[in-house]
Amino acid sequence: MKGNARSLGLLLLGLVVAHPAPAEGPYRNRDSKDPNDLSEGTYPIPYQKPTIAEIQEVLERVHAYLEANSPTQVVDGRTGKEITDFSVPNPDARIPDGAGEAFYPLDYTMGVTHSGMLLAHEVTGDPRFADYTRRQLQFIADRLPYFREVVAKGARPGKETFGAILRTGSLDDSGSMCAALVKARQKGVGPDLKAVIDHWSDYVAHQQFRLADGTLARQRPQPESLWADDLYMSVPALARMGALTGDRTWFDDAVKQVLQFHGHLWDPQVGLYAHGKHLNQPLNPEFYWARANAWAMLASVELLDVLPEDHPGRERVLEALRAHVRSIAKLQSGTSGLWHQMLDKPDSYLETSASAIFVYSIARAINQGWISPVVYGSVAQAGWIGVTTRVNAKGQVEGTCVGTTLASDHVYYYNRPQSVYATHGYGPVLLAGSEMIRLLKNPAIDVQHKLRTYHYVPKEG
C-alpha cells in the first residue's frame, strides 16, 4: 500500500513538473497570442506593453481632476465669500489653503505638477496641459500685488496669503516652484514671473542655511540636519538658473550639492540614500524612505538634462545616478511593479509618488542615453503599469504618502497616511506617463515581446 501511494505521488509530481500551474492573478498578457501556451502565466497586474493612447488617457484623467480642484480665486476668510474687487486690500483675504481638494498653488508639489504638465504638453501636443500651468501662473501674477498690500495691512504672510513668496523661509517654499517657473518661461507659457524667479533663486543660492562645506541643510529637527528631499528642493532650481542665465556658477553649485549629498547620505552597502542625517548625532540610524530616494534621483536627472557636456562634475553625477538606478531596479515589487514606502522593507506599503518618480527617471535616463534600454526598459514599463493601477476613475492618484518629516524610527514611516489629496503624486504621474510615451516612440529602440517578456533593444544592435 505504501509503495502504491509513493508511486502515485511520484506520478502526480511528474504531472506537475510537465504541466506547471500558472501563476495566480486575474490578468493574462494580451501580447501572448497563444491561449494554450502552458508556459504563459497570469499576473496580479496587467503585464503588457501599454499603448500610447492608454497612457494619454491616464494623463488626461489626472489633468481633468487637477483642473477641477486647483482654485484660482480669493475668498474672505471670515465670510467665505469670493472676493472680486481687488481695488482695496481686505485683511481677511486668503486663497483656499489646501484643505481637502483645494490644492495650494505655491506648494513645492505644485512645482512638480507644473513640470509634469509642461512635459505632457511637449510630448502629446495637447494644449490643455500647458493651459493649466498658464492659468495657475497667471493667478500668481495677478494676485501677488494684491497680497503684498494685504500683508502690508497686517495680515499674516502665511500659506493662505502667498507667504512662500512674501516671506520665503525654506527650500520647500522656493526651489521646486522656482524650477517650474523657469521651465515655463523658457517655453513661453504664462506671464513673465522673472521677479519671482530671481527672488526664489536668490533664496536657494544665498539665504538657505548650509553646512560648513556648503551643503544645503536645515536647522530642524536638529541644529544641522541633512534631508535627501532637499536635493530636489534646490538642485533643479540651481540647474535651471544656469541654463537660463548662462552663468556656470549655478551649475557648479548644483553639482556640488549632488556630490556632497551623495557623500553624506549614500550608503554603499545597500545602494540607497538615507532619508537624512543629523550632524550632531554621530551614530545616525539610516532609514531608506522611498520618496527621499526618488527626490534624489529626480534631482540628478534634472541636473543632467541641462548640465553642459564639458562640466568637470558631469561624469561623477552620472556614475551616482547609474548606481542608484541599479539599486532601485532590484527593489521593484514583483507583484505590483511599484516600490515600497521603505525601500528595503517589503512589509511596508507600496507607495505611488516615489514609484512614479522612479519610472520617470529611469525612462528619462534611457531616452537620454545615460543607461541601457536593454537592462532597464522593462523595469520602467512594469513600473508604469503599476502606477496606472493607482489612478482611479476620477483621476485621483491613490496610495501617495502625505508630507513626511525626517524621523528616527520605522514605526513613524510605516504608518504615514496615504491620501488622494497629497499632491506629491500628481506631478510624478504626469512626468512618468509623458516620458513613457517618449520611450515607446523612441526611434532608436525596438520594443520586442519574446519568450513571454519584453526586450528594449537598440536598433543598431
PDB file of all heavy atoms in Angstrom, residues 180-201:
ATOM      1  N   ALA A 180      10.094  75.228 -11.843  1.00  0.00           N
ATOM      2  CA  ALA A 180       8.941  75.158 -12.743  1.00  0.00           C
ATOM      3  C   ALA A 180       8.710  76.487 -13.456  1.00  0.00           C
ATOM      4  O   ALA A 180       8.377  76.518 -14.655  1.00  0.00           O
ATOM      5  CB  ALA A 180       7.691  74.751 -11.968  1.00  0.00           C
ATOM      6  N   LEU A 181       8.885  77.592 -12.732  1.00  0.00           N
ATOM      7  CA  LEU A 181       8.706  78.902 -13.359  1.00  0.00           C
ATOM      8  C   LEU A 181       9.745  79.142 -14.449  1.00  0.00           C
ATOM      9  O   LEU A 181       9.443  79.731 -15.494  1.00  0.00           O
ATOM     10  CB  LEU A 181       8.792  80.015 -12.315  1.00  0.00           C
ATOM     11  CG  LEU A 181       7.696  80.087 -11.246  1.00  0.00           C
ATOM     12  CD1 LEU A 181       7.804  81.400 -10.474  1.00  0.00           C
ATOM     13  CD2 LEU A 181       6.316  79.934 -11.823  1.00  0.00           C
ATOM     14  N   VAL A 182      10.972  78.683 -14.212  1.00  0.00           N
ATOM     15  CA  VAL A 182      11.997  78.838 -15.244  1.00  0.00           C
ATOM     16  C   VAL A 182      11.629  78.020 -16.480  1.00  0.00           C
ATOM     17  O   VAL A 182      11.742  78.498 -17.617  1.00  0.00           O
ATOM     18  CB  VAL A 182      13.380  78.419 -14.714  1.00  0.00           C
ATOM     19  CG1 VAL A 182      14.419  78.469 -15.846  1.00  0.00           C
ATOM     20  CG2 VAL A 182      13.828  79.322 -13.569  1.00  0.00           C
ATOM     21  N   LYS A 183      11.178  76.789 -16.276  1.00  0.00           N
ATOM     22  CA  LYS A 183      10.778  75.945 -17.411  1.00  0.00           C
ATOM     23  C   LYS A 183       9.647  76.610 -18.195  1.00  0.00           C
ATOM     24  O   LYS A 183       9.662  76.623 -19.434  1.00  0.00           O
ATOM     25  CB  LYS A 183      10.333  74.569 -16.916  1.00  0.00           C
ATOM     26  CG  LYS A 183      11.433  73.726 -16.341  1.00  0.00           C
ATOM     27  CD  LYS A 183      10.854  72.413 -15.801  1.00  0.00           C
ATOM     28  CE  LYS A 183      11.898  71.604 -15.062  1.00  0.00           C
ATOM     29  NZ  LYS A 183      11.352  70.364 -14.484  1.00  0.00           N
ATOM     30  N   ALA A 184       8.663  77.128 -17.467  1.00  0.00           N
ATOM     31  CA  ALA A 184       7.541  77.790 -18.137  1.00  0.00           C
ATOM     32  C   ALA A 184       8.020  79.002 -18.921  1.00  0.00           C
ATOM     33  O   ALA A 184       7.578  79.250 -20.055  1.00  0.00           O
ATOM     34  CB  ALA A 184       6.475  78.187 -17.114  1.00  0.00           C
ATOM     35  N   ARG A 185       8.917  79.766 -18.328  1.00  0.00           N
ATOM     36  CA  ARG A 185       9.445  80.959 -19.009  1.00  0.00           C
ATOM     37  C   ARG A 185      10.196  80.570 -20.276  1.00  0.00           C
ATOM     38  O   ARG A 185      10.057  81.206 -21.327  1.00  0.00           O
ATOM     39  CB  ARG A 185      10.359  81.723 -18.058  1.00  0.00           C
ATOM     40  CG  ARG A 185      10.742  83.126 -18.532  1.00  0.00           C
ATOM     41  CD  ARG A 185      11.422  83.899 -17.407  1.00  0.00           C
ATOM     42  NE  ARG A 185      11.439  85.326 -17.700  1.00  0.00           N
ATOM     43  CZ  ARG A 185      12.423  85.949 -18.336  1.00  0.00           C
ATOM     44  NH1 ARG A 185      13.461  85.250 -18.757  1.00  0.00           N
ATOM     45  NH2 ARG A 185      12.359  87.240 -18.561  1.00  0.00           N
ATOM     46  N   GLN A 186      11.000  79.518 -20.190  1.00  0.00           N
ATOM     47  CA  GLN A 186      11.754  79.075 -21.354  1.00  0.00           C
ATOM     48  C   GLN A 186      10.850  78.576 -22.475  1.00  0.00           C
ATOM     49  O   GLN A 186      11.199  78.670 -23.645  1.00  0.00           O
ATOM     50  CB  GLN A 186      12.749  77.985 -20.944  1.00  0.00           C
ATOM     51  CG  GLN A 186      13.899  78.500 -20.084  1.00  0.00           C
ATOM     52  CD  GLN A 186      14.778  77.389 -19.562  1.00  0.00           C
ATOM     53  OE1 GLN A 186      14.302  76.329 -19.146  1.00  0.00           O
ATOM     54  NE2 GLN A 186      16.085  77.609 -19.584  1.00  0.00           N
ATOM     55  N   LYS A 187       9.689  78.056 -22.096  1.00  0.00           N
ATOM     56  CA  LYS A 187       8.744  77.543 -23.091  1.00  0.00           C
ATOM     57  C   LYS A 187       7.718  78.591 -23.510  1.00  0.00           C
ATOM     58  O   LYS A 187       6.852  78.310 -24.351  1.00  0.00           O
ATOM     59  CB  LYS A 187       8.026  76.306 -22.529  1.00  0.00           C
ATOM     60  CG  LYS A 187       8.934  75.105 -22.332  1.00  0.00           C
ATOM     61  CD  LYS A 187       8.168  73.946 -21.723  1.00  0.00           C
ATOM     62  CE  LYS A 187       9.079  72.747 -21.476  1.00  0.00           C
ATOM     63  NZ  LYS A 187       9.595  72.171 -22.728  1.00  0.00           N
ATOM     64  N   GLY A 188       7.769  79.775 -22.914  1.00  0.00           N
ATOM     65  CA  GLY A 188       6.818  80.818 -23.260  1.00  0.00           C
ATOM     66  C   GLY A 188       5.413  80.560 -22.766  1.00  0.00           C
ATOM     67  O   GLY A 188       4.440  81.002 -23.375  1.00  0.00           O
ATOM     68  N   VAL A 189       5.296  79.866 -21.662  1.00  0.00           N
ATOM     69  CA  VAL A 189       3.984  79.539 -21.091  1.00  0.00           C
ATOM     70  C   VAL A 189       3.715  80.457 -19.908  1.00  0.00           C
ATOM     71  O   VAL A 189       4.478  80.475 -18.931  1.00  0.00           O
ATOM     72  CB  VAL A 189       3.915  78.067 -20.647  1.00  0.00           C
ATOM     73  CG1 VAL A 189       2.601  77.780 -19.929  1.00  0.00           C
ATOM     74  CG2 VAL A 189       4.088  77.138 -21.841  1.00  0.00           C
ATOM     75  N   GLY A 190       2.646  81.230 -19.978  1.00  0.00           N
ATOM     76  CA  GLY A 190       2.242  82.066 -18.855  1.00  0.00           C
ATOM     77  C   GLY A 190       2.924  83.408 -18.836  1.00  0.00           C
ATOM     78  O   GLY A 190       3.717  83.756 -19.717  1.00  0.00           O
ATOM     79  N   PRO A 191       2.628  84.202 -17.804  1.00  0.00           N
ATOM     80  CA  PRO A 191       3.168  85.563 -17.691  1.00  0.00           C
ATOM     81  C   PRO A 191       4.635  85.552 -17.309  1.00  0.00           C
ATOM     82  O   PRO A 191       5.189  84.525 -16.907  1.00  0.00           O
ATOM     83  CB  PRO A 191       2.315  86.170 -16.573  1.00  0.00           C
ATOM     84  CG  PRO A 191       1.968  84.997 -15.709  1.00  0.00           C
ATOM     85  CD  PRO A 191       1.764  83.854 -16.653  1.00  0.00           C
ATOM     86  N   ASP A 192       5.259  86.707 -17.421  1.00  0.00           N
ATOM     87  CA  ASP A 192       6.666  86.845 -17.048  1.00  0.00           C
ATOM     88  C   ASP A 192       6.771  86.984 -15.532  1.00  0.00           C
ATOM     89  O   ASP A 192       6.393  88.010 -14.958  1.00  0.00           O
ATOM     90  CB  ASP A 192       7.269  88.068 -17.735  1.00  0.00           C
ATOM     91  CG  ASP A 192       8.775  88.178 -17.493  1.00  0.00           C
ATOM     92  OD1 ASP A 192       9.304  87.352 -16.729  1.00  0.00           O
ATOM     93  OD2 ASP A 192       9.399  89.084 -18.071  1.00  0.00           O
ATOM     94  N   LEU A 193       7.266  85.944 -14.880  1.00  0.00           N
ATOM     95  CA  LEU A 193       7.430  85.965 -13.429  1.00  0.00           C
ATOM     96  C   LEU A 193       8.910  85.990 -13.056  1.00  0.00           C
ATOM     97  O   LEU A 193       9.331  85.407 -12.057  1.00  0.00           O
ATOM     98  CB  LEU A 193       6.731  84.753 -12.811  1.00  0.00           C
ATOM     99  CG  LEU A 193       5.206  84.808 -12.808  1.00  0.00           C
ATOM    100  CD1 LEU A 193       4.601  83.462 -12.452  1.00  0.00           C
ATOM    101  CD2 LEU A 193       4.704  85.880 -11.839  1.00  0.00           C
ATOM    102  N   LYS A 194       9.696  86.697 -13.853  1.00  0.00           N
ATOM    103  CA  LYS A 194      11.137  86.744 -13.606  1.00  0.00           C
ATOM    104  C   LYS A 194      11.463  87.298 -12.226  1.00  0.00           C
ATOM    105  O   LYS A 194      12.420  86.847 -11.581  1.00  0.00           O
ATOM    106  CB  LYS A 194      11.842  87.571 -14.670  1.00  0.00           C
ATOM    107  CG  LYS A 194      13.373  87.548 -14.549  1.00  0.00           C
ATOM    108  CD  LYS A 194      14.056  88.270 -15.677  1.00  0.00           C
ATOM    109  CE  LYS A 194      15.577  88.151 -15.554  1.00  0.00           C
ATOM    110  NZ  LYS A 194      16.108  88.722 -14.300  1.00  0.00           N
ATOM    111  N   ALA A 195      10.697  88.276 -11.760  1.00  0.00           N
ATOM    112  CA  ALA A 195      10.974  88.833 -10.431  1.00  0.00           C
ATOM    113  C   ALA A 195      10.832  87.771  -9.350  1.00  0.00           C
ATOM    114  O   ALA A 195      11.626  87.733  -8.393  1.00  0.00           O
ATOM    115  CB  ALA A 195      10.040  90.007 -10.149  1.00  0.00           C
ATOM    116  N   VAL A 196       9.855  86.892  -9.498  1.00  0.00           N
ATOM    117  CA  VAL A 196       9.671  85.809  -8.527  1.00  0.00           C
ATOM    118  C   VAL A 196      10.790  84.787  -8.681  1.00  0.00           C
ATOM    119  O   VAL A 196      11.334  84.277  -7.687  1.00  0.00           O
ATOM    120  CB  VAL A 196       8.288  85.150  -8.701  1.00  0.00           C
ATOM    121  CG1 VAL A 196       8.115  84.009  -7.694  1.00  0.00           C
ATOM    122  CG2 VAL A 196       7.171  86.172  -8.535  1.00  0.00           C
ATOM    123  N   ILE A 197      11.155  84.467  -9.917  1.00  0.00           N
ATOM    124  CA  ILE A 197      12.274  83.553 -10.171  1.00  0.00           C
ATOM    125  C   ILE A 197      13.542  84.073  -9.503  1.00  0.00           C
ATOM    126  O   ILE A 197      14.256  83.335  -8.816  1.00  0.00           O
ATOM    127  CB  ILE A 197      12.494  83.379 -11.683  1.00  0.00           C
ATOM    128  CG1 ILE A 197      11.336  82.602 -12.310  1.00  0.00           C
ATOM    129  CG2 ILE A 197      13.819  82.675 -11.963  1.00  0.00           C
ATOM    130  CD1 ILE A 197      11.365  82.571 -13.828  1.00  0.00           C
ATOM    131  N   ASP A 198      13.820  85.360  -9.699  1.00  0.00           N
ATOM    132  CA  ASP A 198      15.031  85.942  -9.120  1.00  0.00           C
ATOM    133  C   ASP A 198      14.993  85.900  -7.594  1.00  0.00           C
ATOM    134  O   ASP A 198      16.012  85.626  -6.938  1.00  0.00           O
ATOM    135  CB  ASP A 198      15.202  87.392  -9.592  1.00  0.00           C
ATOM    136  CG  ASP A 198      15.559  87.489 -11.068  1.00  0.00           C
ATOM    137  OD1 ASP A 198      15.980  86.464 -11.651  1.00  0.00           O
ATOM    138  OD2 ASP A 198      15.399  88.581 -11.640  1.00  0.00           O
ATOM    139  N   HIS A 199      13.819  86.168  -7.033  1.00  0.00           N
ATOM    140  CA  HIS A 199      13.681  86.149  -5.570  1.00  0.00           C
ATOM    141  C   HIS A 199      13.927  84.754  -5.028  1.00  0.00           C
ATOM    142  O   HIS A 199      14.705  84.567  -4.074  1.00  0.00           O
ATOM    143  CB  HIS A 199      12.285  86.645  -5.187  1.00  0.00           C
ATOM    144  CG  HIS A 199      11.924  86.393  -3.759  1.00  0.00           C
ATOM    145  ND1 HIS A 199      12.454  87.116  -2.706  1.00  0.00           N
ATOM    146  CD2 HIS A 199      11.093  85.466  -3.194  1.00  0.00           C
ATOM    147  CE1 HIS A 199      11.969  86.670  -1.566  1.00  0.00           C
ATOM    148  NE2 HIS A 199      11.144  85.660  -1.832  1.00  0.00           N
ATOM    149  N   TRP A 200      13.260  83.756  -5.609  1.00  0.00           N
ATOM    150  CA  TRP A 200      13.387  82.396  -5.109  1.00  0.00           C
ATOM    151  C   TRP A 200      14.783  81.833  -5.350  1.00  0.00           C
ATOM    152  O   TRP A 200      15.354  81.165  -4.486  1.00  0.00           O
ATOM    153  CB  TRP A 200      12.333  81.500  -5.747  1.00  0.00           C
ATOM    154  CG  TRP A 200      11.021  81.495  -5.007  1.00  0.00           C
ATOM    155  CD1 TRP A 200      10.810  81.786  -3.690  1.00  0.00           C
ATOM    156  CD2 TRP A 200       9.752  81.160  -5.549  1.00  0.00           C
ATOM    157  NE1 TRP A 200       9.471  81.654  -3.381  1.00  0.00           N
ATOM    158  CE2 TRP A 200       8.796  81.262  -4.499  1.00  0.00           C
ATOM    159  CE3 TRP A 200       9.292  80.792  -6.812  1.00  0.00           C
ATOM    160  CZ2 TRP A 200       7.448  80.995  -4.677  1.00  0.00           C
ATOM    161  CZ3 TRP A 200       7.952  80.522  -6.990  1.00  0.00           C
ATOM    162  CH2 TRP A 200       7.032  80.617  -5.940  1.00  0.00           C
ATOM    163  N   SER A 201      15.350  82.077  -6.523  1.00  0.00           N
ATOM    164  CA  SER A 201      16.678  81.532  -6.807  1.00  0.00           C
ATOM    165  C   SER A 201      17.734  82.174  -5.898  1.00  0.00           C
ATOM    166  O   SER A 201      18.695  81.506  -5.484  1.00  0.00           O
ATOM    167  CB  SER A 201      17.039  81.727  -8.280  1.00  0.00           C
ATOM    168  OG  SER A 201      17.058  83.096  -8.637  1.00  0.00           O
TER     169      SER A 201
END
